[in-house]
Amino acid sequence: MLEAASLTKTYVTAQGPWRAVDDVSFRIEAGEFFTLLGPSGCGKTTTLRSIAGLETPDEGRIAIGGQAVFDARAGVNLPANRRDLGMVFQSYAVWPHMSVLRNVAFPLEVHGASRREAAEGARRALDLVGLGHLAERSATLLSGGQQQRVALARAIVRPVRLLLFDEPLSNLDAELRIQMRVELRDLQRRLSATSVYVTHDQEEAMALSDRIAVMRAGRIVEVGTPDQLYLRPRHPFTARFIGQAELVPADLLRRDGGGALLRTRLGDIACEWAGDVAPGPASLLVRPEHIELHPPGTDGPNTAHGRVLSVAFLGKLADHEVDVAGLRMRVQTMSTARRAPGTEVTLRFPPERCVALAPE
Amino acid sequence: MMRRLALLPLGLLLAYLAVVPLILLGLASLKPEGFLDDEGWTFDNWRAVYLGPQLWPMLGNTLVFALGSTAAALLLGTLLAWLVERTDLPGRGLVRVMIILPLATPPLLLAIAWVLLLSPRTGFFNFALMGALGLDRAPFDIFSMGGMVFVETMVLLPSVYLMLAPAFRNMDPNLEHAAFVSGASVWTVVTRIVLPLLRPAILAAAVFMLIVCLVVFDVPGTIGMPVRIFVVSSLVYIWAAESPTGLPLYGRIAALAVLFVVVLLALALVYQLLSLQGQRFATISGKGYRPRPMPLGRWRWAAFAGVWTYFFLATIAPLAVLLVTSLLPFQTRITWEVLDRLTLDHHLAFLGNPRLLTAVRNTAIIALVSASLVALLSLLVSWAVVRSRAPGRRIIDLLAFLPLGIPGVMIGVGLITVYLTFTWIPIYGTIWILVVAYVTTFLAYGTRTTNGVLVQLHRDIEEAASVAGAGYWTVLRRIVLPLALPAVIAVWVWVFAHAARELSTALMLHGRHNTVISTLMWNFWSGGDGPRAAAVGVWLMLALFLLVGLWQLLVRRQERA
């Protein structure tokens, strides 16, 4: 449905040229919810705006539904208004001089619908986002969450080829953000609209996406489903950026099918997943909530001896800081199973939760 | 409590400056000669004005001139602001600097320059075109309504730009992008999104320009008066300075003033309301995203040519012709032969003539004192208006704003009435009556600027100082003043430049002891001595360019820090 190939965009700044987007390529299937995730300045917004036609890449090609909308070599650059898109902006961009209804009806009107048809369509879209009762209100008299819904209704009021979202939830407060997340996901499923979403919030990306592209410094680090990226990332940056991660320097001794045996300061650790890491320097990834705490002296493979340094009580969960062979590791348990500081423990790293990664 | 007490003297001062001249002007219109100590009351002046033959042509001219200049300046100024702030026009940075230059050019000098360029008998451009195209008569006649509108448009354009550029700059570009992505064409985006969003700002600029055009004297006085095209200010000038009886017709001027003051004050109120409404649409986005400017494509160089044509017409050509004229031995057509006889005589005379030096000193004192008083009063008025909750604060705001709608010639006549009546304040005929006039006139501009800054200043900032133990004046001196300083300096520079170039009020209040540079130039010019007027003008412009340039340097350095 969407294909981006070798997109590159360089900005000239006072400090010299800066590659905002550096050879970015990806494909998105019809109906898929695809997210560009990364810290600020990673190039995700520039990539999205290039798809929209609001930014012109220096190189590369973008095709929507098989039609090239941008091709640097062939000199193709379809303007934004002819790419048949819906887009939700971070600042909502709700036009303050129009009513809610006129805001939402605008895309229909500029596509030739009569004023009445456009109003009807706009009402249907407003009902979909639960704002039907505010249609006549001036757009300046809305709360942030309501403006967000207006922007959403405006994006989906026409059946478009592609929906684009530029950090749409980042200006909302936490509770509303989670609520909107659920609604957005429901709506996208119901419309089966192909969507590209940009965010720096990994939890939001996990909750919404079919697939996520993790970006850093203008490049895509890795693309995968939320499961893959969390449980079996290929790159240490992904491991650290999505969820909490304990990364331990290691030496990969030998590959063992899909897994590997790692030598670390914790001892020899077997991992069931090692991607394509070759023997030699590597790192061990294990999530704090996957490390098991056992009474001292519990021996077996993938175990190590440690001592609890401190505990933070988080309500449902407890965060332990544990000293293991001179390394400080975080271990998360249910708070009912928490250990007091000074307690001697044996840590177990379940092989099915251990991942071998390239060295950091 | 202190704040309420501080409001009272401020209110009284403003009422004295703005309202007393108007009331006395109204009363004077009912006196036979227009002086308050005349015997008896009469409606003769009212009859002479409103039933007289001069009223309707003058009203027609005034309207055509004001509406024409406003419309043209608004159209071109909006276009310029859009080109500079929102497109990939080449050399935008230079445009932002260049636009300051016409702002420092006194309108009187611009009008004189265009007479020198486009006069049908001696205009340089006219003769150049006649030579180039083989015409047997001059293609342009500056002494016409068209000429007046043309020059006034050049005068107003930078102001329109300066009023609208921030509106374009502050508009969230995503509002446009959202429309583009929705499928709207460029034309639809401009007409249905951009222009409606900017409507309050554009309307406010329109009303402001209309007020300025209705009261301006320099351009209609220089270009229209010689061919008897009168607008209100030039008619008032004629009644005062060249009445058939030899005595100023103050009674008639006062009667005419009543009509204009009412109309202009209504416009001033409309302007006030529109500016308030503009704030409702404030759409500054939180995200510091500098978007790609809109590509102009093949129009890019056409726009570039258009912009530089404007600068050529507004600054380069007038400056050049003034400079050359100031070097001419006597007023004559500029030809190649004459260029051999250029002389520095007028410039040397300027530097050695005690009368000229007195005018320079007067101008400097008046501009300095007026600018300082306006800057100080603006800050005090704004602080009282923005911060206090006393019921009188709106009245104070209004009082400070009113004089914007009173023509300079009428303020002049009003002050004559006041200080011929209150003879115990002996400032009639001195430079101080000009200071009073300028403080009154320019306070409106000053308070608009300082209001804007203080509104943005969060109340917490001051309250933190109060809690820390600072008193009323300490908060003002240590917190408010430093934070508002850039705006206060901007007000000071603006008032200084405008007081130094102001002509209409100065002409009305002209006496033997308060000659200023602008009246001197006017006298040279209307006496037929163009080169000498040009020589004085060149030095005035140089001084104003230096002042504005220094200020811009300061602003830029501060922005970088």
Side-chain angles (χ1 to χ4, degrees):
Chain A
M1 182 61 208
L2 174 74
E3 192 187 341
S6 316
L7 295 182
T8 299
K9 173 82 185 175
T10 307
Y11 287 111
V12 182
T13 67
Q15 287 81 42
W18 174 60
R19 290 213 148 183
V21 178
D22 192 359
D23 195 20
V24 164
S25 304
F26 54 86
R27 291 177 68 99
I28 303 175
E29 301 308 321
E32 201 178 8
F33 198 116
F34 187 82
T35 296
L36 299 167
L37 170 69
S40 63
C42 72
K44 55 191 192 299
T45 294
T46 308
T47 305
L48 187 81
R49 293 173 64 88
S50 299
I51 299 171
L54 298 172
E55 206 74 62
T56 310
D58 305 322
E59 283 163 44
R61 184 172 182 279
I62 301 170
I64 303 176
Q67 178 206 10
V69 295
F70 175 78
D71 190 332
R73 268 198 217 132
V76 174
N77 190 8
L78 210 61
N81 52 1
R82 288 173 49 208
R83 292 194 182 188
D84 194 21
L85 309 169
M87 183 163 176
V88 180
F89 292 84
Q90 183 180 20
S91 62
Y92 316 138
V94 171
W95 300 306
H97 61 297
M98 296 182 187
S99 70
V100 168
L101 189 76
R102 292 259 78 86
N103 258 282
V104 179
F106 185 88
L108 292 171
E109 286 173 17
V110 297
H111 280 89
S114 73
R115 222 174 147 79
R116 207 172 52 87
E117 286 166 3
E120 278 169 16
R123 274 184 206 285
R124 275 197 297 278
L126 282 169
D127 284 338
L128 270 179
V129 299
L131 270 190
H133 59 294
L134 292 180
E136 307 306 329
R137 189 169 288 189
S138 156
T140 48
L141 302 174
L142 299 178
S143 70
Q146 289 167 333
Q147 287 192 41
Q148 178 59 68
R149 283 162 203 265
V150 174
L152 186 58
R154 188 173 65 190
I156 61 163
V157 69
R158 288 179 59 243
V160 290
R161 292 194 290 189
L162 200 59
L163 280 178
L164 306 177
F165 298 90
D166 183 9
E167 305 217 20
L169 304 184
S170 62
N171 284 348
L172 301 178
D173 59 49
E175 203 177 323
L176 195 58
R177 194 151 62 210
I178 291 170
Q179 186 195 335
M180 282 302 292
R181 205 152 82 188
V182 176
E183 288 183 28
L184 200 62
R185 182 68 188 156
D186 282 353
L187 197 64
Q188 190 265 342
R189 287 264 156 82
R190 224 173 336 149
L191 303 170
S192 60
T194 315
S195 305
V196 186
Y197 192 96
V198 158
T199 183
H200 63 268
D201 181 336
Q202 42 105 2
E203 212 174 285
E204 198 172 293
M206 302 278 279
L208 284 166
S209 317
D210 294 320
R211 282 192 306 144
I212 299 171
V214 179
M215 291 187 72
R216 180 177 64 169
R219 288 173 164 272
I220 291 185
V221 174
E222 144 165 43
V223 182
T225 65
D227 266 40
Q228 284 169 350
L229 294 179
Y230 191 75
L231 298 175
R232 297 187 161 177
R234 289 168 178 276
H235 197 285
F237 177 77
T238 313
R240 284 207 186 277
F241 195 74
I242 297 182
Q244 298 170 339
E246 287 299 329
L247 282 169
V248 181
D251 200 22
L252 195 147
L253 296 179
R254 62 163 192 276
R255 291 295 304 254
D256 180 12
L261 185 67
L262 300 178
R263 175 151 294 167
T264 73
R265 284 170 72 179
L266 311 170
D268 285 356
I269 302 287
C271 308
E272 284 194 5
W273 179 255
D276 50 8
V277 184
S283 48
L284 164 68
L285 161 71
V286 56
R287 305 279 182 193
E289 72 273 23
H290 292 151
I291 303 175
E292 295 167 5
L293 291 185
H294 293 284
T298 316
D299 285 337
N302 279 24
T303 59
H305 180 77
R307 193 168 62 88
V308 176
L309 295 173
S310 65
V311 188
F313 174 63
L314 305 176
K316 185 168 135 197
L317 300 172
D319 259 352
H320 301 76
E321 198 183 5
V322 184
D323 175 56
V324 201
L327 288 172
R328 290 181 166 215
M329 300 192 74
R330 284 200 331 130
V331 180
Q332 204 170 51
T333 66
M334 299 305 281
S335 58
T336 47
R338 84 188 126 132
R339 313 295 163 98
T343 313
E344 303 283 324
V345 288
T346 293
L347 296 86
R348 180 170 175 274
F349 309 98
E352 69 275 18
R353 295 297 184 210
C354 290
V355 177
L357 296 170
E360 271 192 289
Chain B
M1 195 57 215
M2 268 306 287
R3 292 188 177 198
R4 280 189 186 221
L5 285 180
L7 278 182
L8 192 65
L10 259 186
L12 288 176
L13 177 66
L14 294 180
Y16 173 73
L17 287 176
V19 179
V20 169
L22 290 185
I23 293 175
L24 293 194
L25 208 57
L27 290 176
S29 72
L30 299 170
K31 291 289 189 181
E33 302 290 333
F35 292 103
L36 283 181
D37 48 7
D38 290 348
E39 287 291 318
W41 301 86
T42 171
F43 275 109
D44 284 351
N45 292 317
W46 285 73
R47 264 194 293 276
V49 169
Y50 291 100
L51 302 176
Q54 284 170 305
L55 182 75
W56 292 108
M58 179 276 285
L59 285 180
N61 287 337
T62 307
L63 272 184
V64 171
F65 171 73
L67 291 175
S69 312
T70 300
L74 207 61
L75 196 72
L76 296 173
T78 309
L79 192 65
L80 184 65
W82 178 71
L83 284 173
V84 172
E85 299 298 334
R86 275 304 164 88
T87 72
D88 61 349
L89 177 82
R92 280 164 292 162
L94 192 58
V95 172
R96 290 205 185 95
V97 178
M98 283 291 287
I99 197 79
I100 304 294
L101 292 184
L103 204 66
T105 311
L108 172 64
L109 281 174
L110 202 61
I112 289 177
W114 277 101
V115 169
L116 295 170
L117 288 168
L118 287 185
S119 144
R121 280 182 302 281
T122 60
F124 177 74
F125 278 173
N126 269 333
F127 278 84
L129 283 173
M130 282 162 73
L133 304 175
L135 306 172
D136 52 0
R137 46 187 293 259
F140 295 106
D141 181 1
I142 191 72
F143 296 110
S144 61
M145 181 55 86
M148 284 161 64
V149 169
F150 169 72
V151 177
E152 188 61 32
T153 302
M154 296 288 127
V155 171
L156 293 181
L157 219 156
S159 305
V160 176
Y161 170 83
L162 287 180
M163 287 178 85
L164 291 183
F168 274 104
R169 210 176 305 145
N170 292 339
M171 200 174 74
D172 181 356
N174 283 334
L175 292 169
E176 286 162 65
H177 294 157
F180 273 124
V181 175
S182 303
S185 62
V186 175
W187 174 251
T188 310
V189 173
V190 170
T191 53
R192 289 206 41 198
I193 307 292
V194 178
L195 288 180
L197 275 172
L198 292 176
R199 193 175 56 203
I202 292 176
L203 273 179
V207 175
F208 188 87
M209 294 307 139
L210 198 61
I211 293 173
V212 171
C213 287
L214 284 173
V215 303
V216 73
F217 172 76
D218 311 48
V219 173
T222 313
I223 297 175
M225 236 162 42
V227 288
R228 306 195 63 75
I229 302 176
F230 291 116
V231 299
V232 58
S233 54
S234 47
L235 188 65
V236 168
Y237 173 77
I238 288 288
W239 283 351
E242 294 169 23
S243 84
T245 60
L247 278 176
L249 303 173
Y250 287 141
R252 281 204 208 178
I253 294 173
L256 181 61
V258 174
L259 171 69
F260 271 84
V261 166
V262 169
V263 170
L264 287 163
L265 291 186
L267 277 178
L269 284 179
V270 170
Y271 170 75
Q272 180 86 316
L273 285 175
L274 284 172
S275 335
L276 283 178
Q277 217 190 5
Q279 291 162 9
R280 198 168 58 92
F281 274 8
T283 54
I284 301 167
S285 101
K287 199 175 178 183
Y289 197 86
R290 272 280 139 239
R292 167 191 68 166
M294 183 183 290
L296 291 171
R298 59 209 164 98
W299 293 102
R300 199 159 171 243
W301 293 102
F304 179 77
V307 167
W308 286 94
T309 305
Y310 162 68
F311 282 121
F312 177 74
L313 294 177
T315 311
I316 299 166
L319 266 181
V321 78
L322 279 175
L323 196 62
V324 173
T325 301
S326 75
L327 298 172
L328 293 177
F330 48 86
Q331 183 147 6
T332 173
R333 242 181 72 200
I334 300 171
T335 57
W336 291 113
E337 297 79 62
V338 152
L339 289 185
D340 292 337
R341 291 199 277 154
L342 295 188
T343 161
L344 276 173
D345 283 357
H346 301 295
H347 292 273
L348 295 175
F350 174 71
L351 296 173
N353 183 339
R355 219 179 115 218
L356 286 168
L357 291 181
T358 309
V360 170
R361 209 188 56 217
N362 284 346
T363 306
I365 294 174
I366 290 169
L368 209 70
V369 175
S370 309
S372 306
L373 282 176
V374 169
L376 181 71
L377 271 176
S378 296
L379 188 65
L380 286 176
V381 167
S382 293
W383 201 37
V385 168
V386 175
R387 280 293 178 257
S388 95
R389 296 193 184 86
R393 70 185 199 282
R394 291 248 162 264
I395 299 173
I396 291 202
D397 195 29
L398 194 64
L399 283 176
F401 183 68
L402 277 188
L404 181 71
I406 310 173
V409 283
M410 291 180 182
I411 288 209
V413 177
L415 289 183
I416 291 171
T417 317
V418 173
Y419 293 103
L420 285 183
T421 312
F422 300 167
T423 45
W424 37 272
I425 308 180
I427 61 171
Y428 181 76
T430 70
I431 57 173
W432 302 109
I433 196 166
L434 281 173
V435 169
V436 171
Y438 293 162
V439 170
T440 312
T441 315
F442 297 138
L443 198 57
Y445 171 82
T447 52
R448 280 332 83 184
T449 307
T450 44
N451 273 3
V453 172
L454 289 191
V455 164
Q456 287 171 353
L457 205 65
H458 208 283
R459 200 181 276 267
D460 290 354
I461 288 176
E462 289 168 43
E463 285 172 351
S466 301
V467 171
Y472 187 75
W473 294 108
T474 311
V475 173
L476 184 64
R477 192 169 50 84
R478 298 276 304 273
I479 309 292
V480 179
L481 183 64
L483 286 171
L485 199 61
V488 173
I489 291 175
V491 168
W492 194 93
V493 171
W494 192 92
V495 174
F496 189 96
H498 281 72
R501 71 187 220 188
E502 208 284 337
L503 175 67
S504 55
T505 315
L507 277 180
M508 298 312 289
L509 295 173
H510 196 202
R512 200 179 301 161
H513 302 295
N514 60 2
T515 304
V516 289
I517 294 178
S518 57
T519 51
L520 201 66
M521 272 192 311
W522 174 262
N523 288 341
F524 284 145
W525 175 253
S526 54
D529 196 347
R532 230 196 255 188
V536 177
V538 165
W539 287 100
L540 175 61
M541 273 166 90
L542 196 67
L544 291 181
F545 283 169
L546 273 179
L547 174 75
V548 174
L550 268 177
W551 169 57
Q552 283 293 307
L553 267 181
L554 200 76
V555 170
R556 252 148 247 252
R557 187 176 298 172
Q558 218 165 28
E559 274 169 1
R560 227 169 283 150

